Amino acid sequence: MFSASSRWPRRLARFWPAAAQVGHLERWRAGLLAVLGIAVTGGLTHLLVGAEAVPWLVASMGASSVIVFGLPHSPLGQPWPLVGGQVISALVGVACARYLPASWPVAGLAVGAAIVAMHYTRSLHPPGGAAALTAVIGGESVRQLGFGFALLPVGLNALLLLAVALIANNAVRGRRYPTPRESERKPTARVNEADWEAALGRAGEVVDITPEALAELAAEAERHALARQPGAPRCIDLARSMPATVAPDDTLRAVWPALEAHGEVAVLDADGRLLGTLGWQQLFDAGPASGQLAAVADLLLRRAGEHVVVWMRPAATVGADLPWTALVPMLQSQAAAYVVDADHRLLGVVRPAQLLALYPPPIKGAMR
């Protein structure tokens, strides 16, 4: 049993990032491309609008450079998010600054509203928050530009930076910008987290997703593909048996034989709605902190007259009409999944062994 002090090093270690899968060449290349991108963007804007135009380069372009040159394959740095996210956020910020009284809450409102606007326009781009904030706190020179601030300098800056990104990123071997929506290469074998980590390492560039998240996405995509196969069953089709059931006002002493026979029972109300479950693990977890079997048994004997409702725990439930693949992640951590209808009435139970027996090939690959 771990002490509290022994857990703290592991918890603190979560704040330290994992080792980067990026080589030194890629790191320097991203930095040099950012130098080129900002220099060209600022220089051409200054040349086109004149030296008297203030500002001729907005700070949010620096953040955009990190994404389009450091994370060129990120969905947040593709052409539409880059330009649309910057311009739309700037418009939102100008509107907040013009129609609301100047105060610090308005700055937060502008950023929050910009995030919502970018979500709805499919242009989510983190530096857009900086564009919205600049419109509010940028000073008199920005306020004088009004809604024109979103076009000049923000829009012009974004377009020029995009032009540099299109040329520079595609000049680098292995980069494709914009990133195709569908991969041209399809996996020919099942992959796990180690495979994703190796692939990220060979890619030689920063990808803003972890190998663990990629593996989980791959497993979820595989489950989705299995669910849409012709004739794929629903959860109710697999719920071919009913668990042992008890009432919430039954005593622990009364349900003891059912627990000995089945290990876990479902607690139903008078209308057949599932309220929770009661099993050996729950009874053991409710025992003394020492966890000694004798102490747990003594507690159960002293409290045998209590109602089941005191001891039951929430049940792992799944809708009857959901595809059978919805059971896969649930049964990775649960001993049983209880199938219920729209009114939460119990229809049956599915256990891991039953699922594996019915669908061994796909499940063994999907249950990672």
Side-chain angles (χ1 to χ4, degrees):
M1 190 172 185
F2 292 101
S3 64
S5 59
S6 66
R7 290 194 295 266
W8 275 108
R10 295 200 303 272
R11 292 176 178 174
L12 292 176
R14 300 173 187 170
F15 292 90
W16 187 251
Q21 301 290 330
V22 183
H24 295 289
L25 176 60
E26 176 61 25
R27 301 178 190 185
W28 281 94
R29 178 188 292 135
L32 292 175
L33 289 180
V35 172
L36 175 65
I38 292 298
V40 171
T41 299
L44 288 180
T45 302
H46 191 279
L47 179 64
L48 292 173
V49 303
E52 68 279 0
V54 178
W56 45 267
L57 184 64
V58 290
S60 59
M61 295 303 146
S64 293
S65 296
V66 175
I67 299 179
V68 298
F69 298 120
L71 301 165
H73 293 162
S74 169
L76 303 177
Q78 300 308 300
W80 169 240
L82 169 60
V83 179
Q86 289 275 11
V87 173
I88 291 170
S89 298
L91 288 172
V92 170
V94 171
C96 291
R98 170 166 289 195
Y99 299 114
L100 296 175
S103 61
W104 60 265
V106 174
L109 177 63
V111 175
I115 293 175
V116 174
M118 286 188 288
H119 268 298
Y120 277 105
T121 55
R122 301 181 183 181
S123 61
L124 189 63
H125 186 63
L133 189 61
T134 302
V136 176
I137 66 173
E140 187 62 27
S141 61
V142 173
R143 281 194 292 270
Q144 288 179 352
L145 293 173
F147 286 103
F149 171 72
L151 299 178
L152 184 66
V154 174
L156 180 58
N157 280 176
L159 287 172
L160 290 173
L161 188 64
L162 172 60
V164 176
L166 288 170
I167 298 172
N169 279 329
N170 288 304
V172 176
R173 185 177 181 180
R175 288 194 180 189
R176 291 178 296 174
Y177 186 85
T179 302
R181 287 189 177 184
E182 297 182 0
S183 176
E184 298 176 0
R185 297 181 181 270
K186 297 182 179 180
T188 57
R190 300 192 186 280
V191 295
N192 55 28
E193 293 178 12
D195 298 322
W196 286 118
E197 188 170 358
L200 291 177
R202 286 195 295 271
E205 64 180 53
V206 178
V207 180
D208 56 343
I209 189 170
T210 64
E212 294 80 9
L214 273 174
E216 180 57 34
L217 282 175
E220 181 62 31
E222 185 176 1
R223 291 192 290 266
H224 185 273
L226 291 172
R228 62 180 173 78
Q229 288 182 345
R234 299 170 301 160
C235 292
I236 185 60
D237 298 326
L238 301 183
R240 299 173 182 173
S241 62
M242 285 289 290
T245 62
V246 298
D249 56 353
D250 289 341
T251 64
L252 187 59
R253 182 183 295 108
V255 303
W256 201 264
L259 281 175
E260 288 183 323
H262 303 284
E264 183 176 87
V265 294
V267 185
L268 305 184
D269 65 8
D271 296 323
R273 286 187 289 265
L274 180 63
L275 303 178
T277 61
L278 177 67
W280 292 120
Q281 186 62 46
Q282 296 163 12
L283 295 176
F284 191 81
D285 291 341
S290 64
Q292 295 180 357
L293 184 59
V296 175
D298 179 68
L299 174 70
L300 296 179
L301 288 174
R302 287 187 286 107
R303 300 179 61 180
E306 292 185 349
H307 295 297
V308 168
V309 68
V310 178
W311 295 85
M312 71 179 186
R313 294 292 184 270
T317 60
V318 63
D321 292 328
L322 290 177
W324 67 271
T325 51
L327 294 163
V328 176
M330 184 175 297
L331 292 178
Q332 286 180 313
S333 57
Q334 303 291 335
Y338 295 88
V339 183
V340 296
D341 63 11
D343 295 324
H344 215 69
R345 286 190 290 265
L346 182 63
L347 301 178
V349 64
V350 181
R351 304 186 186 280
Q354 176 187 356
L355 198 61
L356 287 169
L358 290 174
Y359 296 94
I363 288 295
K364 290 179 180 177
M367 289 186 68
R368 287 196 278 266

